[in-house]
Every structure is written in C-alpha cells, then in structure tokens.
Amino acid sequence: MKALILANGRATRLGPVSRAVLKALLPVANRPVLWYVLQSLREAGVDEIGITVGPDTRPVVDYVRALEEPLEDPRPHMEFLWEDRRSGTGGALRDHRAYLADAPAVVVPADIIAGVDIAALVRHHRAHPAAVTVAVTPQDPARWDGDFLVADGPFASAYLFKPGAASPSRLGSTGAWVVDPRALSLVPAQGFCDFSEQVLPRLPTRDLPLGVFDAGAVYQRDVGVPQRFYDSNIEALTGRSSASRYLPPAGPCGAGDVARVAHGPVLIGPDVEVHRSARIHGPTVIGGGCVIGPHASVVSSVLLPGSVVPAHTLLSTSVFGTTDRLYAELLRRPSPDRRDRLVDTAGDTS
C-alpha cells in the first residue's frame, strides 16, 4: 500500500524557538519527527511513500535525500509531491490524486508522533471498507482539543471537529487515516481545504461510510506548540513515548568523558562540549554541537543543536536555544564517532 505524509507545514506556534522551522524536522530525542513517521510506515510494510513539499519546505527534501542511517531494508520508495502553495490537507489529497491512483492509501501528518499500528489499521480497512478509516485512541474531551468520532461497531456514525468538552465520545482521532479515492469527491475542486474540518464531518453518507479503527491507548503527541514539543522529548527519554524504543542503549561513562557530569537519563548529541564543573540532570536532551560552560546547571531541559549555555547559568524545565543550526546538524553525515549517547547513571559528583 502507498502512504502520503503531509509535510508542507511550519511550526508557527513555537514562538521564539521557531524561526519558521518546519514541523516535520522538529527534533525529538535528537531525531526529526519525520524520521519516526518514516520508520513507522516502513515497519508496517508500506512500500511507496509520497511526501508533500513546497517552496518553503526544501529542507525536508534535503533531509530525506541525506538519510544515511536510518531506514533499514526493505526501504520504501520515496518521492516528493510538489505544492506551489499550501492547499490544506484536503487540497493536498485532491492535488495529488494521480499519486494515489485508484487504491486506498495511508495518510499521516509529519508533525505527530503516534504509536498507531499502521499495519493493523490497513488490515481493519480492508476487512471493513470505507471511504475513510480513522485510527482513534481514548481521550478525555475535557482536556483534549482534537477531533472525536462516534463509533458504531467498525464504523462511525459521526466525525466531530474539535467539539471540546461537549463531545459525546471519548474516541479521539490520532490523525492517521486510510483514504479511499472515493472520499475525494467531497473535496472542493480548487482552493484551500482542511480535510478534518471540511470533509470528514460530512461523513458518513449513504455511499461513503466512515470507518473507525480502535488503536487502543497508544502514545500520541503533536509537537507543534512549545509545551508539547518539550513534553515529547522528556517522554521519549523516560520510556513513555513510542519514540523511546529507538533510543541508543545506555552506556557507562569513561574517564574524562563529558557524560561524567550527567545524572541520567541524558541524551548527548555529537560534538558536545561540557565543562567539567557543569552539572546536567535528566531527563535532558542535548543537541549536537552544544557547549555548556563552567558551573552551569541544566535540569530536565531540551537544548537545541548548537546552543551555548553560559557559565553559572541555571536552566530548568526549559527548551533552550534557537533552530538556527538545526538543519545543518540534521544534514551532517553520521559516523561512528558522531552518534548520540544515552547516559543513565548517577553521574560523577566529585
């Protein structure tokens, strides 16, 4: 089966951290969200992946082409689907109907890490054909601001776009769909179209059933706002995320190693310099090329690549730095001496 990754978007809600960074390339545990999305599709047996890109999303193209580590065999065929302008999720499906051809396809966002079993979602859709099948997970309507579905067996009787606490259902959309080309008949012929807001609430119809796949209590995190971006990194390090299983194995600290000042879990990127008088308390993620000065303390924080923490600085529960060096770090070729290290010890308090 084919898959379509909706990657032509920016993290405009990340404020000063953003610098117009692409959501698909935001780092979680020092890997872009896009890496986890690609990995989940590969593991599900998807053999063709289309990635939507546009004039402002060239770094996505550069990153995918530079992937050296990563997707083990069998590696899916990947191609880029060009958009002259952002046309929304529905517009992207409409404009790339030729890529979808006449068969259903998995559709996922590039900015959400979710533990949905994509292979099981596809099997459910094949067993219960629908215009769209939506993977859902339990959510509390009073606390979650996403979309909900009202289930009726393997199908849904309603799709509710951001109903808030008024939702009669607790089945929240994960953003992972299987879309049959028949559903595109509901997409306007031109212009911007948000599939979740303008199309899915119109389902089901007599001829276009809406399927619902209960993915169970899976991990789900949209990284597009500062608190959720921070949470996604901390959750990955503490074993609460579907990204946690991709962490490198924890290793001991060697003499003179920068990791000796760390009280884990601390994920340390390549080319990091930490003064011997500094202290790092996990869970903390340190991006590649960071410098931590004398007597600085970093506690439960996320340091973006290339960040410089001045001497005597205290960082606590923070996202620190800018994304200015993010793309350059992502595109650097990995090598045995440029791998992340995970330190999970009591550290050196001497």
Side-chain angles (χ1 to χ4, degrees), residues 1 8 76 113 129 134 180 201 214 260 275 297 309 315 323 340:
M1 180 173 282
N8 194 22
I113 295 179
V134 180
D180 187 283
D214 188 348
R260 288 180 62 81
H275 193 273
S297 294
V309 181
L315 291 178
T323 57
D340 289 354

Side-chain angles (χ1 to χ4, degrees), residues 36-313:
Y36 298 103
V37 176
L38 289 169
Q39 191 76 0
S40 69
L41 293 173
R42 185 198 69 79
E43 292 174 353
V46 172
D47 50 14
E48 293 185 58
I49 299 176
I51 304 171
T52 62
V53 294
D56 299 327
T57 51
R58 180 72 192 191
V60 167
V61 178
D62 295 337
Y63 171 71
V64 172
R65 286 179 174 168
L67 277 177
E68 175 106 346
E69 170 188 37
L71 302 177
E72 302 172 357
D73 292 333
R75 179 170 178 165
H77 170 74
M78 291 184 282
E79 64 180 278
F80 302 104
L81 306 175
W82 185 258
E83 298 181 346
D84 290 325
R85 62 182 63 85
R86 292 189 179 92
S87 55
T89 49
L93 290 168
R94 172 198 64 215
D95 297 342
H96 299 299
R97 179 162 187 166
Y99 170 79
L100 299 175
D102 296 322
V106 176
V107 179
V108 291
D111 62 336
I112 294 179
I113 295 179
V116 175
D117 184 338
I118 297 296
L121 167 62
V122 171
R123 289 194 299 269
H124 180 91
H125 179 84
R126 288 172 174 166
H128 307 283
V132 181
T133 298
V134 180
V136 298
T137 189
Q139 297 286 3
D140 181 355
R143 303 178 59 186
W144 196 66
D145 59 359
D147 304 347
F148 287 85
L149 287 85
V150 179
D152 182 10
F155 297 98
S157 59
Y159 185 98
L160 309 173
F161 179 75
K162 299 186 183 303
S167 174
S169 170
R170 299 178 67 89
L171 296 177
S173 170
T174 64
W177 314 321
V178 176
V179 178
D180 187 283
R182 293 178 298 155
L184 303 186
S185 63
L186 300 178
V187 177
Q190 58 186 359
F192 187 93
C193 175
D194 185 315
F195 201 71
S196 295
E197 183 176 8
Q198 297 172 249
V199 175
L200 289 176
R202 296 171 61 186
L203 295 174
T205 69
R206 185 180 65 179
D207 300 320
L208 299 173
L210 177 62
V212 57
F213 167 66
D214 188 348
V218 297
Y219 179 84
Q220 179 183 7
R221 183 66 73 185
D222 179 343
V223 302
V225 296
Q227 185 60 50
R228 292 174 183 173
F229 173 61
Y230 170 83
D231 290 342
S232 67
N233 277 273
I234 301 305
E235 289 160 353
L237 257 63
T238 53
R240 294 177 287 159
S241 165
S242 55
S244 301
R245 65 192 181 97
Y246 299 111
L247 291 173
C253 304
D257 195 311
V258 295
R260 288 180 62 81
V261 304
H263 302 249
V266 177
L267 185 65
I268 302 173
D271 304 326
V272 168
E273 299 179 17
V274 181
H275 193 273
R276 62 186 181 184
S277 64
R279 289 293 179 266
I280 307 167
H281 299 266
T284 287
V285 177
I286 304 175
C290 288
V291 178
I292 302 177
H295 303 288
S297 294
V298 179
V299 181
S300 299
S301 293
V302 179
L303 274 58
L304 298 176
S307 300
V308 177
V309 181
H312 301 283
T313 299

